Amino acid sequence: MLYHEVAVDPKLVSSETLQIYLRTCFGLDKGRFVSAFPKDWTNAVRRVANNNDDPYCKKRITSLLASPELSQSIVDLRGGQTIGSWKDLVCEAHKSRPFNAIVLDENLSEYPTYSVEDMGIYVSESDEEIGYVDISKESKPNEVVTTLAPFLIQNKRLTLVNAYQNLLADSKSRNLFKSLFSFWADRGGREFTVIRSRRQLDYAQFKEESMLLEQFLRDRGFTGLFKYIAVDDAQKDRLHERYLIGPFSGIEMGYGLEINNKPQRWKILLKAPHLAVRRTFMDLDVRDNFAPNTWLEYTYKGSMGYR
C-alpha cells in the first residue's frame, strides 16, 4: 500500500520520543500520516501543551505543531464527531474503517496498538508495507482514488506528467481522471497542470482533447486554474517517467494515469527525487526546458478556456 493512517493519542505528544518519530518518520513522502480524527486532534494537542506545567515541554509541543514536518503529515480522511474520549472514538471508528496503527498508552489486543516505546517496532514493520502499490489490482477508479486520497487532500496544486496519454479522449484514462480530479477539486484543489509530449499528438488531437477538458471543467463548475501543455521533447529531455507531483510529495506512476490488467507499480517519491521533479515540472516553467515556440498550451481559468 502507499500509505499508513496512524491514530495518535494527543496526550502522548508530550513525549519527546514520540515527537522525534513524528518529525522523522511521518509525512506523505515517508508513507505514513497522522490521522486528524477526531476533527479537533490538533486542538487537543494544543490543549495538552497549554495544560502542561513544564515550560520546556510546552515549548517543544508548540514548536512541533508549528513545524512543516507535522503540519504536512496530518490528513483528515474521516471528519467525525468530537464528543467522547479519544480512545473510545478511535476504537469505534476502527470498526468501520481500520487504522493501520493506533499509538496508545495501553495494549488493546483486538486493535493494532503501539506504545511510544514500541514506535521503533512499528516503523520497522511498516517499512515493508508502505510506499508502493500495484495499481492493476485496483480495477475501479474509486478504488484508485481511495488509495491516493491522502495525497489528493494535502496537495492543492498538482502537476501530472503523462507523456503520451490523452485524459478524456482515451478510454483507458477517462473515468480515472474524472474521478481523481473531482475528488481533488471537491476538497479544495485549485491548480492542476498536465504536461505531455507533442510526439504522437497533432494539432487536431490537441484541440479535441482541450475541448473535452473545457466541457468537463465547465460542467463541474471548476473555478480554479487548469493548464494542458504539450512540449516538443524530440531533441532533448524526452519525457519518459510518469509523475503526479504536488508541493509536499510526489508519486511515480508506472505506465501513467490508466487502469489496465498489466502489473503497474506506483510508488512514492522520496524527498530528494520529489524535490528534483518538482523543480523541473512545477517550480520552474517547464516550457523553458524545451525548444522555444514549439509547445501547445490550453488554459482554463474560472469558466473560460484559452488556446
Side-chain angles (χ1 to χ4, degrees):
M1 63 179 62
L2 280 179
Y3 303 107
H4 265 195
E5 181 185 16
V6 182
V8 178
D9 187 343
K11 69 176 182 289
L12 297 184
V13 179
S14 60
S15 162
E16 191 167 3
T17 298
L18 181 58
Q19 291 174 18
I20 292 171
Y21 279 111
L22 291 175
R23 284 183 182 273
T24 60
C25 298
F26 282 74
L28 295 187
D29 60 334
K30 299 179 179 68
R32 303 179 192 88
F33 65 92
V34 176
S35 175
F37 180 87
K39 287 189 71 173
D40 68 342
W41 185 86
T42 301
N43 288 331
V45 175
R46 192 169 285 114
R47 287 194 294 271
V48 170
N50 292 337
N51 294 331
N52 198 297
D53 294 330
D54 181 350
Y56 176 66
C57 181
K58 181 181 295 188
K59 184 176 180 180
R60 283 192 289 104
I61 298 174
T62 303
S63 174
L64 177 69
L65 285 173
S67 69
E69 293 95 340
L70 183 63
S71 62
Q72 295 169 16
S73 302
I74 302 171
V75 182
D76 183 3
L77 289 182
R78 300 170 183 257
Q81 63 177 329
T82 60
I83 300 174
S85 72
W86 181 88
K87 185 183 78 171
D88 290 344
L89 290 172
V90 165
C91 289
E92 187 62 29
H94 181 83
K95 294 175 182 177
S96 58
R97 180 177 175 174
F99 294 96
N100 298 105
I102 300 172
V103 183
L104 188 63
D105 60 359
E106 60 182 288
N107 180 34
L108 304 177
S109 59
E110 65 271 38
Y111 299 95
T113 55
Y114 293 84
S115 67
V116 172
E117 291 73 22
D118 290 336
M119 282 300 291
I121 296 173
Y122 162 67
V123 169
S124 179
E125 290 176 346
S126 61
D127 277 342
E128 301 289 326
E129 302 177 2
I130 58 177
Y132 62 90
V133 63
D134 182 352
I135 213 69
S136 66
K137 296 180 179 178
E138 302 183 9
S139 58
K140 298 178 181 179
N142 65 313
E143 294 175 351
V144 178
V145 170
T146 297
T147 295
L148 294 177
F151 176 90
L152 298 174
I153 290 170
Q154 283 296 81
N155 292 286
K156 307 305 182 186
R157 295 170 52 226
L158 289 179
T159 295
L160 171 64
V161 183
N162 209 42
Y164 307 115
Q165 292 169 317
N166 293 310
L167 297 174
L168 294 180
D170 189 335
S171 61
K172 291 189 296 184
S173 303
R174 184 183 305 123
N175 290 336
L176 177 54
F177 169 72
K178 286 183 174 181
S179 296
L180 181 152
F181 184 91
S182 296
F183 180 95
W184 168 81
D186 288 345
R187 285 152 184 81
R190 58 183 181 268
E191 184 176 327
F192 199 107
T193 301
V194 179
I195 299 169
R196 64 155 297 160
S197 171
R198 280 193 64 177
R199 287 179 289 143
Q200 305 178 24
L201 179 76
D202 59 32
Y203 184 74
Q205 293 170 318
F206 175 84
K207 186 176 180 181
E208 177 191 14
E209 179 75 354
S210 60
M211 290 175 65
L212 290 170
L213 286 166
E214 183 169 321
Q215 188 63 54
F216 167 68
L217 295 169
R218 183 171 288 128
D219 287 348
R220 74 170 326 280
F222 182 61
T223 58
L225 175 64
F226 188 98
K227 291 184 178 181
Y228 178 60
I229 302 172
V231 296
D232 183 355
D233 62 338
Q235 302 302 319
K236 61 174 288 191
D237 298 330
R238 288 200 171 196
L239 300 179
H240 178 66
E241 304 296 348
R242 283 77 164 175
Y243 299 109
L244 189 59
I245 310 162
F248 307 124
S249 55
I251 297 172
E252 187 177 321
M253 304 178 69
Y255 299 121
L257 192 69
E258 65 176 46
I259 296 177
N260 57 48
N261 295 325
K262 297 184 293 184
Q264 183 184 182
R265 185 183 175 101
W266 289 11
K267 64 180 182 179
I268 294 171
L269 291 171
L270 299 178
K271 185 174 182 179
H274 166 243
L275 291 176
V277 297
R278 191 187 76 181
R279 176 176 173 79
T280 299
F281 296 111
M282 179 175 277
D283 296 345
L284 302 177
D285 189 334
V286 69
R287 295 168 300 184
D288 293 340
N289 294 328
F290 301 97
N293 303 316
T294 59
W295 57 78
L296 299 172
E297 180 175 354
Y298 164 76
T299 301
Y300 180 96
K301 187 173 184 179
S303 60
M304 298 294 293
Y306 309 91
R307 288 178 196 85

